[in-house]
Amino acid sequence: MTGGVSQGSSSMDSTAEILEDNLEKILKGEGLEVREFDSVPEQVKPVTLRKSVCYIVGAVIFNSKDEVLMVQEAKRECYGRWYLPAGRMEERESILEALQREVKEEAGIDCQPITLLLVQEQGPKWVRFVFLAEETGGSLKTTAEADSESLQAQWWDRESPLPLRGRDILPLIDAGIKYRRNPWFPMLQPVDFPCQVICQRLFLTFISSNGNTDTSDEHRLWLLMSSNYATPHPSLPIALSVNAFDTIPRAVHRLVKECVPSSSMHVHTCGILGVQHNGRIPGKTDGVCFNTLVLLENSEDGAEISSPPPLEGDAYRWHEVTNQSLRAKIIQRIKEESVLPVHSLY
């Protein structure tokens, strides 16, 4: 028979297209359903907001004079001191809804998020989502409107003396200034996908030729894929954060150790490509999935490695990215570290 395409070949082509489409979605900051977990050190238990996990939202907002929005604290332990608008998420809120509520309650203004700016974490028990946002309405809270949320709000020129609640906000303000002047990653918003736990979908890469990423055409690129047969199509592995010290980098290292335990490879967590959260059903959708870009590098200086390290067991496999356009996009994101930063505070 001539001129035909075998069913097996057609199926393989369809699978490759689905995989490439899903990889493109992750690179664009979009989400994918969380189906199964690959690195699970303990029994999976859904997280519950304000019981087993705490999410904080914070806003960095500038006016036309490059002054930053600050609120004066009403809490007894920091009464009268100044801080960025920030606070805990509440049940059934999305991350964006929590941000807009906190800014309105503490500062009196309406805001629209421009991009996630930074994620800070102390393992799965405490995560802070910091946004760069812009004012869209309302008016600054005055002392006549003081309540338990805050005493007032003002614009700060960052030079006038101001008693701060904590200096931890200064790097956040600096990051906002830097992003406004020269954005180093695409604008990113959380996407609405339910998840029961805090986990990382690993976009784990290996690049041949010494890991040199100066040009994409001369290099081969591989992605670590899960061999989890519960998913209908090839998928990126998902590592679960379980204990209080299981930060994003630690969860990444744990999964790598599972599949290449004898390797001397260096694991570099580049940053976050996307954040997935829903939160509509307390105790069932309070989790967060971080789509995380990771680079596996040879730790021996000068040694050439033309292929990724062999994997132990059959839980994972390497997939070579042969689509030239897709490969170039991935290598560029790695080279420029064009990802949302994540800071582990342990």
Side-chain angles (χ1 to χ4, degrees):
M1 185 169 112
T2 61
V5 178
S6 70
Q7 185 174 355
S9 174
S10 175
S11 176
M12 289 178 62
D13 290 344
S14 175
T15 298
E17 289 176 3
I18 291 171
L19 175 59
E20 289 181 2
D21 183 56
N22 287 341
L23 296 177
E24 290 277 8
K25 287 180 178 178
I26 296 297
L27 287 174
K28 292 176 182 176
E30 300 174 13
L32 297 172
E33 183 180 354
V34 176
R35 296 176 180 268
E36 297 291 332
F37 306 107
D38 297 281
S39 181
V40 186
E42 299 176 13
Q43 183 180 1
V44 178
K45 296 181 180 179
V47 299
T48 302
L49 185 66
R50 308 195 77 160
K51 291 183 179 178
S52 58
V53 294
C54 176
Y55 302 146
I56 309 293
V57 291
V60 180
I61 301 175
F62 297 95
N63 64 11
S64 58
K65 300 178 182 179
D66 284 339
E67 297 169 325
V68 64
L69 181 65
M70 300 287 285
V71 296
Q72 192 173 32
E73 296 282 7
K75 303 183 190 72
R76 184 176 61 180
E77 62 270 20
C78 52
Y79 189 88
R81 294 189 173 273
W82 295 81
Y83 206 68
L84 292 174
R88 295 184 182 186
M89 282 180 56
E90 297 179 354
E91 283 189 346
R92 295 183 173 86
E93 278 189 319
S94 72
I95 299 173
L96 296 183
E97 287 169 346
L99 172 78
Q100 292 171 324
R101 174 185 54 79
E102 285 291 345
V103 172
K104 185 68 173 179
E105 289 176 351
E106 295 191 351
I109 69 169
D110 302 312
C111 76
Q112 183 66 32
I114 297 171
T115 182
L116 266 167
L117 190 60
L118 179 69
V119 170
Q120 297 174 304
E121 56 150 357
Q122 294 179 350
K125 68 175 184 179
W126 187 94
V127 182
R128 178 159 68 176
F129 301 95
V130 182
F131 286 83
L132 178 65
E134 59 184 349
E135 179 186 8
T136 58
S139 57
L140 285 182
K141 190 174 190 176
T142 66
T143 53
E145 299 168 300
D147 55 20
S148 61
E149 297 292 339
S150 65
L151 301 179
Q152 62 174 318
Q154 289 185 7
W155 297 104
W156 181 40
D157 62 10
R158 310 191 309 280
E159 295 181 359
S160 304
L162 197 69
L164 301 179
R165 169 183 148 187
R167 297 183 63 83
D168 60 314
I169 62 171
L170 297 180
L172 309 183
I173 296 171
D174 289 342
I177 295 171
K178 176 183 174 183
Y179 192 92
R180 295 176 79 211
R181 291 174 179 171
N182 185 26
W184 71 95
F185 61 89
M187 288 186 292
L188 181 66
Q189 305 284 1
V191 290
D192 188 351
F193 275 86
C195 185
Q196 291 186 322
V197 296
I198 296 182
C199 60
Q200 294 82 43
R201 177 183 281 113
L202 302 188
F203 206 105
L204 196 153
T205 63
F206 176 87
I207 303 173
S208 66
S209 301
N210 297 320
N212 184 345
T213 58
D214 287 342
T215 60
S216 61
D217 293 338
E218 300 177 0
H219 298 89
R220 298 171 68 187
L221 171 71
W222 286 265
L223 287 174
L224 185 70
M225 306 300 296
S226 169
S227 297
N228 195 323
Y229 296 105
T231 56
H233 303 291
S235 58
L236 298 172
I238 297 179
L240 187 64
S241 294
V242 287
N243 62 60
F245 303 99
D246 217 357
T247 62
I248 290 176
R250 287 181 182 177
V252 171
H253 277 264
R254 187 183 65 241
L255 187 142
V256 172
K257 190 174 181 180
E258 288 177 6
C259 57
V260 283
S262 58
S263 173
S264 60
M265 304 297 291
H266 171 68
V267 182
H268 175 51
T269 302
C270 303
I272 294 172
L273 294 167
V275 175
Q276 303 181 195
H277 172 264
N278 174 271
R280 299 305 184 194
I281 307 175
K284 292 186 177 180
T285 62
D286 285 333
V288 177
C289 178
F290 296 101
N291 297 322
T292 307
L293 181 62
V294 181
L295 176 64
L296 200 60
E297 301 175 290
N298 181 28
S299 59
E300 298 179 5
D301 293 338
E304 287 193 25
I305 297 181
S306 59
S307 60
L311 303 173
E312 294 195 10
D314 58 0
Y316 307 98
R317 63 180 178 83
W318 289 109
H319 168 77
E320 184 171 5
V321 179
T322 55
N323 181 308
Q324 185 174 352
S325 173
L326 179 59
R327 184 177 70 237
K329 290 177 185 177
I330 297 171
I331 291 178
Q332 182 180 16
R333 296 293 292 269
I334 295 170
K335 174 186 174 184
E336 299 177 358
E337 297 227 346
S338 178
V339 287
L340 175 72
V342 54
H343 291 175
S344 299
L345 303 181
Y346 277 127

